Amino acid sequence: MSENHEYSESYQDWPRHSLQADCENCFGLCCAALPFAASVDFAIDKDAGQPCHNLQPDFRCGIHTTLRQQGFRGCTVFDCFGAGQKVSQVTYGGQDWRQAPGTAMQMFDVLSIMRQLHELLWYLSEAMTLHAARSIHSEVSTAFEETERLTRLTPDSLMELDMIAHRAEINVLLLQTSELVRAEAERKQKNSSGRQKNLGRGADLIGANLKGANLRAANLRGAYLIAADLRGANLRYADLIGADFRDADIRDADLTGSIFLTQFQVNGAKGNTDTKLPPSLTRPTHWS
């Protein structure tokens, strides 16, 4: 196996493109459903269920190309994992909330549930690509298929889902995947140089100086990395699920092979052309 992210042969079989936002096929759901408060991320206050004043009749953003300049930085880092178009085109069959205003609030609530399901699908589809976790691929595949089935339920059935219980079941598999991947990476680490930082799940690393740190195969689940200096850090094979990367400086950092990293996290960080990302993620345009 190469030192690069070790994909199983079935990688191309998993439809991850459907787990990426397609705003052209969404009814501006995130622009209407989600609340935000005036801050460094948003220029104004907006209540949940209240359409943003920048949302146009065709559900496009009137200031899409200048969001950051006009004080809506938060919009540029949000990612729905493709839940917006699923709710718009599948759950509600292409009927938007303006055509049927009586469905608006339910549709907005369903978006929150669908986003959670799609986020789980993102993690499960990644787990299926990891050769080190091949011993549990069958269980992961079953969990993926069940979660995908849930995304196709009716609005009323989606509203009745026990998401806390479902997430807990999936998390067991994701933890097993993490342990298998990081254990294999640690075995390879024995012959490498550089002292590894001993950090753990949920670590408070807000503003921490981790420049050049060896965080290879670290368990950084849920870690608070807000505004942390991670320039040039080695994050290969680190478990980054739920880690808060807001304003973290990952310029020149190596996140190749890191697991359970999402576009949402990358969008909130500060990187450059030398930041190495997993191949499933894209370099945010605002980095340049």
Side-chain angles (χ1 to χ4, degrees), residues 57-123:
D58 61 358
F59 299 112
R60 298 191 180 195
C61 175
I63 59 168
H64 179 70
T65 59
T66 58
L67 280 165
R68 285 187 162 249
Q69 295 90 322
Q70 298 199 44
F72 289 85
R73 185 181 73 159
C75 297
T76 68
V77 303
F78 179 77
D79 181 65
C80 73
F81 296 98
Q85 67 259 26
K86 174 68 77 62
V87 171
S88 299
Q89 303 302 330
V90 177
T91 312
Y92 286 88
Q95 184 179 58
D96 67 68
W97 49 271
R98 281 177 172 153
Q99 292 175 324
T103 67
M105 295 312 297
Q106 184 192 56
M107 190 180 295
F108 299 158
D109 289 338
V110 166
L111 174 68
S112 174
I113 297 167
M114 189 68 74
R115 185 179 185 273
Q116 293 181 68
L117 291 171
H118 271 224
E119 181 181 10
L120 293 176
L121 288 174
W122 178 271
Y123 297 141

Side-chain angles (χ1 to χ4, degrees), residues 63-188:
I63 59 168
H64 179 70
T65 59
T66 58
L67 280 165
R68 285 187 162 249
Q69 295 90 322
Q70 298 199 44
F72 289 85
R73 185 181 73 159
C75 297
T76 68
V77 303
F78 179 77
D79 181 65
C80 73
F81 296 98
Q85 67 259 26
K86 174 68 77 62
V87 171
S88 299
Q89 303 302 330
V90 177
T91 312
Y92 286 88
Q95 184 179 58
D96 67 68
W97 49 271
R98 281 177 172 153
Q99 292 175 324
T103 67
M105 295 312 297
Q106 184 192 56
M107 190 180 295
F108 299 158
D109 289 338
V110 166
L111 174 68
S112 174
I113 297 167
M114 189 68 74
R115 185 179 185 273
Q116 293 181 68
L117 291 171
H118 271 224
E119 181 181 10
L120 293 176
L121 288 174
W122 178 271
Y123 297 141
L124 289 167
S125 64
E126 178 174 350
M128 277 298 297
T129 73
L130 300 171
H131 183 76
R134 60 193 179 279
S135 62
I136 61 170
H137 278 180
S138 176
E139 293 93 327
V140 172
S141 176
T142 298
F144 183 98
E145 291 171 1
E146 171 59 14
T147 304
E148 171 62 21
R149 183 190 70 81
L150 295 178
T151 70
R152 298 185 179 279
L153 293 175
T154 64
D156 288 339
S157 295
L158 283 165
M159 293 291 290
E160 294 175 358
L161 284 180
D162 186 345
M163 283 305 304
I164 294 177
H166 188 64
R167 290 185 74 96
E169 291 176 7
I170 300 301
N171 192 49
V172 172
L173 288 173
L174 300 182
L175 278 169
Q176 291 177 325
T177 298
S178 173
E179 290 165 358
L180 289 167
V181 171
R182 291 185 296 107
E184 182 170 293
E186 287 171 356
R187 285 195 294 272
K188 295 178 179 179

